[in-house]
Amino acid sequence: MRGVDLSVDAGIVTGLIGPNGAGKTTCFNAITGLQSINSGCVTFDGVDMTGMSPHKRARLGIARTFQRLEVFGSLSVRENVLAAAEIRRRWSRDKSDTRANADGVLALVGLTPLADRPADTLPTGQARLLELARCLATRPRLLLLDEPSSGLDDGESDELGDLLCQLAEAGMAILLVEHDMGLVMGVCSRINVLDFGAVLMVGTPDEVRADERVRAAYLGAADDPEEAPVEAEPDQGADSAVLAGIGTGAPDV
């Protein structure tokens, strides 16, 4: 990434889009501490996290999903979520009922009927929802989602969009990396467009749709970015998260 300035505010869904290799996952890694930075700073709710380890950042109230599925395959769906709830209870000293927390989150994402099913038997779309549920069990203030609609059909994607809006309306800050432009344009209040590791533009969905630079970044694959087919990338209260002048060298996603 090169001089990336990006802010994520509570109460809205913020989009992060761009062609393959633009630096989107690198940006997530810089926020969560999995990627070191050469310049700039990363702050959350006024706290400079730049030198913090990933687990300390998580304890500030940050949770993320990964582009490559990261579920505990040998555990059940409920046990996956319970693991996150139990870990949070240990460090936060929260005395609330972790099973009630897990069951509430599973109901929220629509996985209650599958609670006792082994996680490694889930299709991709439902496994994505399990990742989201596990994040929510940690009660985050900032949620980073890396292609959460992958594997979902149109109806499930619409339900996911409704859930993201619901979470944002409750005060959560959400940063969404997604290739489903219909979902991005439908739920995001502000969209950041990355290209070759730099911010190409920041604007509303309407502004992004109309921007010729965005069309060019998507290789002219469609007249409307919402219709542009993009292949998946290779693996690799007033709360806000801010990246200021971030540099990581050449984009590695």
Side-chain angles (χ1 to χ4, degrees):
M1 295 191 295
R2 298 176 287 112
V4 171
D5 294 318
L6 182 151
S7 64
V8 184
D9 297 327
I12 65 171
V13 182
T14 300
L16 181 62
I17 66 172
N20 293 339
K24 302 182 294 296
T25 297
T26 300
C27 184
F28 268 30
N29 291 341
I31 294 172
T32 56
L34 298 178
Q35 168 80 51
S36 61
I37 61 176
N38 299 327
S39 59
C41 63
V42 184
T43 64
F44 177 59
D45 199 18
V47 177
D48 188 344
M49 304 189 298
T50 306
M52 286 186 183
S53 62
H55 80 274
K56 289 182 178 179
R57 299 186 194 207
R59 291 180 181 182
L60 290 176
I62 300 174
R64 71 168 291 183
T65 64
F66 290 83
Q67 188 178 38
R68 185 177 65 183
L69 283 171
E70 299 285 353
V71 298
F72 304 126
S74 62
L75 301 182
S76 71
V77 169
R78 179 181 284 110
E79 288 168 340
N80 264 266
V81 181
L82 270 173
E86 290 283 0
I87 290 171
R88 181 191 181 278
R89 184 172 68 171
R90 288 197 198 104
W91 63 258
S92 68
R93 299 180 181 177
D94 181 356
K95 302 302 181 182
S96 61
D97 185 341
T98 54
R99 182 168 287 271
N101 178 7
D103 286 345
V105 168
L106 288 173
L108 187 64
V109 302
L111 290 179
T112 298
L114 304 176
D116 297 319
R117 182 168 168 176
D120 60 5
T121 67
L122 295 178
T124 299
Q126 291 172 334
R128 295 282 183 195
L129 293 176
L130 175 55
E131 278 196 315
L132 173 57
R134 197 170 55 190
C135 285
L136 294 177
T138 69
R139 299 181 180 174
R141 294 184 291 154
L142 171 62
L143 182 61
L144 310 177
L145 300 177
D146 199 343
E147 299 187 30
S149 77
S150 176
L152 301 182
D153 62 31
D154 289 344
E156 291 168 334
S157 184
D158 289 342
E159 291 176 0
L160 173 63
D162 291 341
L163 175 58
L164 297 185
C165 291
Q166 178 184 342
L167 294 172
E169 288 170 2
M172 191 177 293
I174 300 175
L175 182 60
L176 174 66
V177 166
E178 184 55 67
H179 287 313
D180 180 346
M181 289 299 101
L183 177 61
V184 171
M185 298 295 174
V187 304
C188 294
S189 300
R190 182 173 63 243
I191 299 172
N192 298 262
V193 184
L194 285 182
D195 192 28
F196 292 106
V199 176
L200 184 65
M201 73 159 294
V202 181
T204 66
D206 286 343
E207 290 169 339
V208 169
R209 284 191 187 98
D211 195 283
E212 292 297 332
R213 296 169 298 172
V214 176
R215 298 174 189 272
Y218 278 98
L219 304 177
D223 289 336
D224 189 332
E226 189 169 343
E227 300 173 355
V230 184
E231 297 178 357
E233 288 182 333
D235 291 331
Q236 306 270 334
D239 302 330
S240 64
V242 179
L243 282 75
I246 292 298
T248 61
D252 58 4
V253 293

